[in-house]
Amino acid sequence: MSSILKYFRRPRKATGRDKEGHEQEQGGDAISEMQYSCIKDRCAQICFPVPFQEPSNAVPQAKATSTRISRSNFVKSTMDSIFPNTHFTDHESVPPLAEAFSNFIAIYPQYGETQQADEIRNSEYYHLARHVCFDYYGFSLFSHAQMHSALASSSTNPLVSGLLQPPFFNVSYKSASLKSQVQPNDQDSVLESAIRTRIMHFLNILDGEYSMVYTANRTTAFRLLAESYPFQETKGLLSVYDYESEAMIAMEESAQRKGAKVMSASFSWPSFRIHSGRLMEKLRMRRRKKRGLFVFPLQSRITGARYPYLWMTMAKEHGWQVVLDACCLAPKDLDTLGLSLIQPDFIICSFFKVFGENPSGFAGLLVKNSSIESLESSMIARSIGIVSLVPARKLSQLTDDYSGTDSDTHSFRHQFEEADVENSSSFSGPIPGQIYSSSLSNNMIREGASAEKQKQVMISEQGESSKAQHEKEETSDGIEEIASEHSMPAEKTASNGGANKSLEVLCRGLDHADSLGLLLISTRLRCITNWLVTALMKLQHPHSESGHSLVRIYGPRVKFDRAPALAFNVFDWKGDKIEPALVQKLADRSNISLSCGFLNNIWFSKEYEAEKDKVLERRGNERVVVNRRKENSDMGINVINASLSFLTNFEDAYRLWIFIAKFLDADFVEKERWRYIALNQKMIEV
């Protein structure tokens, strides 16, 4: 309970500017004494579902005090022990890897207890030695070794039927509404049922609590839920994102079209903590029994700020239905007490095939069974992107260049998956060229058919006589496969379920996360993330009169319970920001994959009002977002983002640090530009 209550501070008198830049009494986290008492009482009910009485002894209080001291000592040890009293002004002066790692282990001896993760990485994900991946989020289904072992086996012993067994599968779009798909039915193929069972077990969700549908991607899942939700009745959509999310924009546009009022939480500068007073007002402001959807991510995918489970409980108490965005959580983060007690109405999570190699996959939209009745049938939702998982048909799709790099297909992928990419964030390669181009062409055919069908759907919707007639059509027509190429194997797999009941899908990516567990993964990521944050802050431009730091971190800095993600920017010796997209491109040339994001919904107190014009800028890309809820929605901060995985090791963080340190050389960017011009000229001559 203390870990939740510490997030909400009692109002206090101004004592001057905090060293860490946190807000004063006018800041976003200060709440009234009455609010604090209500939150404290509710925390006790959540953490202790039975009536709680203070024991005669002080053991619980002593334990809480010990936890606070332990966390405080972690922060102090990190800040005092990592390169103490040192600032690096030359990239050649940074210590070598061996020395840095020795220092790292001395500060974090608990990291040595996570050696099992290194063993898994070395044996199952050996491709990560060539490329550092800080641009993946979601859950990895399979391992690199598993995919290549299955590829070799399929090449030497192809199935007579021409269908390949998992881990190979494709997705096939189908026309169906969300409400019809979450109703009890036997429409699943054996493949879908096996993968769904494994995912439910991984998410620690008991059978009978939730129903799940597969969608093409995260953005599709958000849009599908919005089109299936009765916003015309509830009239409210409230989200908690400190960055611009393509998926959330898609949901907002659908909700606004239905007449919903779209709102967002505010985040206090410079800590990027939730402005709790404003969020409480928005939770309470709508005087309806059912107020709408409250979309909550538990943590920021960009800044690494964590938010208490308590917000979901308070939203439910005020009549909101809760959507948990679990796409950016680390593996096993859902294995916590809070989720089992709160049970969101909807959960959205994303899965990709192989970490660091194959970002294709799907998203899962889970609906709590008791919340199914709140959904409505929608003709538009029928064409949005519910998919079936079907066996891969052609062995020719799986070629020897599976592990090769193909820059052209990499750029192709960005063009056609733009809707599912958070601004210019990228999934790192290498991407299997022929597999991707084949599936891409199939997807283009399916999307063309889907677009045509959507036009027909919208026309037919205008002349629809009643919702009952529509529901009747759904049940009578069943599921219509849009991709004709995959319809036959999908039907064959479903109809031959009796012959394939022994099918078991081995998801070694999920198995590895399960074997490590929540505590080990959390310990590993906590050590690496806080070391990286501190090391980046140790880089400072030489001969700078004002002491310009090379890097600025946005959001939490050194913190025990921060998420394994950080938002930062690189500045030159004059204090001017280097464009995040340029840093991302140069990093990619060094075999380091980063992503970019756009921080927004930022609130400045009077104390920081003078910084507002200096900090805020317009969106870095040229994409125009229509129907936004605020006049200044395009104002924020373009940043570089690094997201760490449980497979990230210290060397990955060190390589990123070394790369960023190169910007201490005032001519580094110009040298890189001329070097690659020269290389291109040489390639042309050849």
Side-chain angles (χ1 to χ4, degrees):
M1 184 173 73
S2 60
S3 63
I4 297 178
L5 283 176
K6 70 181 180 63
Y7 188 86
F8 300 93
R9 297 183 291 103
R10 296 176 187 266
R12 58 187 175 89
K13 296 182 180 180
T15 57
R17 184 163 177 164
D18 272 351
K19 294 181 180 180
E20 294 296 323
H22 291 310
E23 300 83 12
Q24 302 302 323
E25 76 280 4
Q26 298 162 333
D29 301 306
I31 58 178
S32 68
E33 195 72 31
M34 181 178 296
Q35 287 177 326
Y36 186 88
S37 300
C38 293
I39 292 171
K40 183 175 181 180
D41 293 341
R42 190 65 191 128
C43 277
Q45 296 175 24
I46 296 173
C47 300
F48 308 100
V50 296
F52 177 73
Q53 295 180 348
E54 189 72 29
S56 56
N57 55 46
V59 174
Q61 184 177 358
K63 185 176 181 180
T65 302
S66 176
T67 300
R68 287 195 296 270
I69 293 175
S70 176
R71 295 189 173 199
S72 176
N73 289 341
F74 174 88
V75 173
K76 187 175 186 304
S77 174
T78 296
M79 300 186 68
D80 294 346
S81 304
I82 297 178
F83 311 125
N85 304 317
T86 303
H87 284 91
F88 299 99
T89 58
D90 184 353
H91 70 279
E92 295 182 350
S93 66
V94 299
L97 174 62
E99 180 182 338
F101 183 67
S102 177
N103 176 263
F104 173 78
I105 287 295
I107 300 170
Y108 304 116
Q110 63 270 35
Y111 182 83
E113 301 173 3
T114 70
Q115 186 177 0
Q116 182 184 352
D118 293 312
E119 295 172 353
I120 290 175
R121 171 177 165 136
N122 294 336
S123 62
E124 297 281 339
Y125 304 89
Y126 40 84
H127 65 295
L128 296 178
R130 303 187 301 269
H131 198 99
V132 179
C133 303
F134 289 117
D135 59 343
Y136 272 69
Y137 63 97
F139 306 123
S140 178
L141 292 170
F142 313 114
S143 73
H144 173 85
Q146 177 185 6
M147 292 293 288
H148 283 260
S149 175
L151 175 62
S153 175
S154 299
S155 300
T156 57
N157 185 26
L159 297 180
V160 177
S161 64
L163 302 181
L164 300 175
Q165 295 293 324
F168 304 117
F169 65 84
N170 290 325
V171 297
S172 173
Y173 287 78
K174 62 184 179 183
S175 176
S177 71
L178 174 60
K179 188 170 185 178
S180 68
Q181 290 298 290
V182 294
Q183 298 286 356
N185 56 62
D186 296 325
Q187 298 172 346
D188 283 353
S189 66
V190 176
L191 172 64
E192 290 178 307
S193 180
I195 293 181
R196 179 181 284 105
T197 299
R198 181 64 187 91
I199 287 175
M200 290 290 201
H201 181 268
F202 175 76
L203 297 177
N204 199 26
I205 295 176
L206 298 177
D207 292 338
E209 291 182 351
Y210 287 83
S211 298
M212 173 182 163
V213 297
Y214 298 102
T215 65
N217 50 50
R218 176 174 178 258
T219 300
T220 300
F222 273 72
R223 184 182 289 114
L224 175 65
L225 179 57
E227 291 293 348
S228 305
Y229 194 79
F231 282 111
Q232 63 273 16
E233 299 174 6
T234 59
K235 299 292 187 182
L237 176 60
L238 175 58
S239 61
V240 184
Y241 288 88
D242 61 4
Y243 64 95
E244 185 177 80
S245 166
E246 297 286 352
M248 197 61 228
I249 290 174
M251 175 175 274
E252 290 173 355
E253 290 175 348
S254 296
Q256 284 179 327
R257 193 164 56 246
K258 293 184 173 185
K261 180 176 181 180
V262 174
M263 301 175 288
S264 175
S266 300
F267 300 85
S268 301
W269 174 267
S271 67
F272 278 85
R273 292 162 66 97
I274 293 176
H275 190 301
S276 56
R278 289 193 167 194
L279 183 54
M280 283 296 300
E281 290 177 4
K282 291 174 180 177
L283 286 174
R284 293 171 173 171
M285 66 182 297
R286 301 192 61 78
R287 298 180 179 179
R288 291 174 177 266
K289 188 175 182 180
K290 294 182 179 180
R291 305 196 181 192
L293 289 182
F294 176 69
V295 187
F296 190 72
L298 271 179
Q299 66 187 40
S300 170
R301 183 183 73 81
I302 301 294
T303 63
R306 290 192 189 272
Y307 315 127
Y309 281 94
L310 177 65
W311 284 115
M312 291 191 288
T313 298
M314 299 181 74
K316 280 197 166 188
E317 290 182 345
H318 286 85
W320 297 83
Q321 288 190 290
V322 174
V323 182
L324 173 61
D325 179 3
C327 296
C328 59
L329 297 180
K332 311 314 296 176
D333 273 359
L334 291 177
D335 287 5
T336 56
L337 179 63
L339 182 64
S340 61
L341 291 176
I342 296 170
Q343 293 189 336
D345 299 278
F346 308 96
I347 303 175
I348 298 176
C349 48
S350 58
F351 298 86
F352 52 85
K353 290 185 179 177
V354 181
F355 177 78
E357 182 177 63
N358 191 343
S360 63
F362 54 83
L365 172 54
L366 293 88
V367 181
K368 190 178 178 183
N369 291 338
S370 60
S371 302
I372 293 177
E373 290 303 317
S374 65
L375 300 175
E376 65 178 6
S377 296
S378 166
M379 289 293 289
I380 296 178
R382 287 171 61 97
S383 58
I384 283 185
I386 295 179
V387 299
S388 296
L389 305 187
V390 297
R393 291 186 63 194
K394 299 177 181 179
L395 189 60
S396 60
Q397 291 178 339
L398 306 172
T399 59
D400 292 337
D401 70 340
Y402 178 79
S403 60
T405 303
D406 190 329
S407 59
D408 291 336
T409 57
H410 192 76
S411 62
F412 255 166
R413 175 169 53 82
H414 284 292
Q415 294 176 25
F416 289 98
E417 289 191 355
E418 184 179 359
D420 197 36
V421 175
E422 302 296 347
N423 291 300
S424 55
S425 65
S426 62
F427 280 104
S428 51
I431 305 300
Q434 295 189 21
I435 297 178
Y436 198 87
S437 59
S438 175
S439 62
L440 177 62
S441 61
N442 292 336
N443 285 340
M444 290 171 64
I445 294 173
R446 291 195 297 267
E447 288 173 3
S450 178
E452 182 64 27
K453 181 168 185 63
Q454 184 169 353
K455 293 180 182 178
Q456 299 173 2
V457 165
M458 294 180 69
I459 294 174
S460 64
E461 188 183 34
Q462 295 175 359
E464 182 182 22
S465 59
S466 66
K467 184 181 295 184
Q469 179 182 354
H470 165 224
E471 293 177 348
K472 182 178 180 180
E473 290 174 357
E474 275 194 354
T475 56
S476 61
D477 292 345
I479 301 172
E480 178 183 350
E481 294 291 344
I482 294 180
S484 60
E485 179 181 355
H486 299 301
S487 298
M488 186 180 300
E491 292 171 3
K492 180 184 291 185
T493 305
S495 62
N496 293 344
N500 293 311
K501 285 184 178 179
S502 61
L503 176 64
E504 180 179 355
V505 179
L506 182 62
C507 299
R508 287 204 330 226
L510 303 182
D511 292 342
H512 294 148
D514 280 337
S515 66
L516 296 176
L518 175 63
L519 293 179
L520 187 148
I521 293 174
S522 299
T523 298
R524 182 179 181 85
L525 292 176
R526 181 180 303 117
C527 297
I528 297 176
T529 304
N530 282 283
W531 180 90
L532 179 59
V533 169
T534 307
L536 288 173
M537 292 191 296
K538 293 289 184 177
L539 303 176
Q540 186 170 319
H541 284 289
H543 314 300
S544 176
E545 296 180 359
S546 58
H548 286 306
S549 295
L550 178 67
V551 175
R552 177 162 194 171
I553 306 291
Y554 300 92
R557 296 186 178 182
V558 177
K559 194 173 182 180
F560 182 87
D561 59 349
R562 64 164 297 142
L566 61 150
F568 66 96
N569 272 318
V570 180
F571 295 82
D572 62 20
W573 64 274
K574 295 179 292 185
D576 296 331
K577 186 173 79 172
I578 301 174
E579 285 299 318
L582 177 59
V583 177
Q584 181 189 28
K585 182 178 292 186
L586 294 177
D588 191 60
R589 292 173 177 175
S590 299
N591 292 324
I592 301 174
S593 292
L594 299 170
S595 61
C596 296
F598 185 72
L599 302 177
N600 60 5
N601 299 321
I602 307 171
W603 180 84
F604 291 81
S605 66
K606 292 181 180 179
E607 181 182 0
Y608 298 104
E609 191 67 30
E611 298 183 26
K612 185 174 182 178
D613 293 335
K614 298 179 181 178
V615 170
L616 295 183
E617 59 190 353
R618 292 199 175 273
R619 188 181 293 103
N621 53 44
E622 298 180 356
R623 178 179 56 81
V624 178
V625 179
V626 296
N627 295 328
R628 295 293 289 164
R629 61 184 175 273
K630 297 178 182 178
E631 294 180 359
N632 297 324
S633 61
D634 60 344
M635 298 298 293
I637 308 173
N638 291 293
V639 296
I640 308 160
N641 170 245
S643 296
L644 284 66
S645 158
F646 76 95
L647 293 170
T648 302
N649 62 12
F650 174 79
E651 184 176 353
D652 292 339
Y654 176 83
R655 288 175 62 181
L656 175 58
W657 183 51
I658 291 297
F659 164 72
I660 297 298
K662 292 179 181 179
F663 287 90
L664 290 170
D665 180 357
D667 298 324
F668 170 65
V669 175
E670 195 65 22
K671 288 177 182 177
E672 285 293 298
R673 180 179 292 113
W674 282 106
R675 183 166 76 90
Y676 276 87
I677 289 176
L679 287 176
N680 289 336
Q681 288 176 346
K682 183 177 180 180
M683 291 173 62
I684 294 173
E685 292 174 358
V686 172

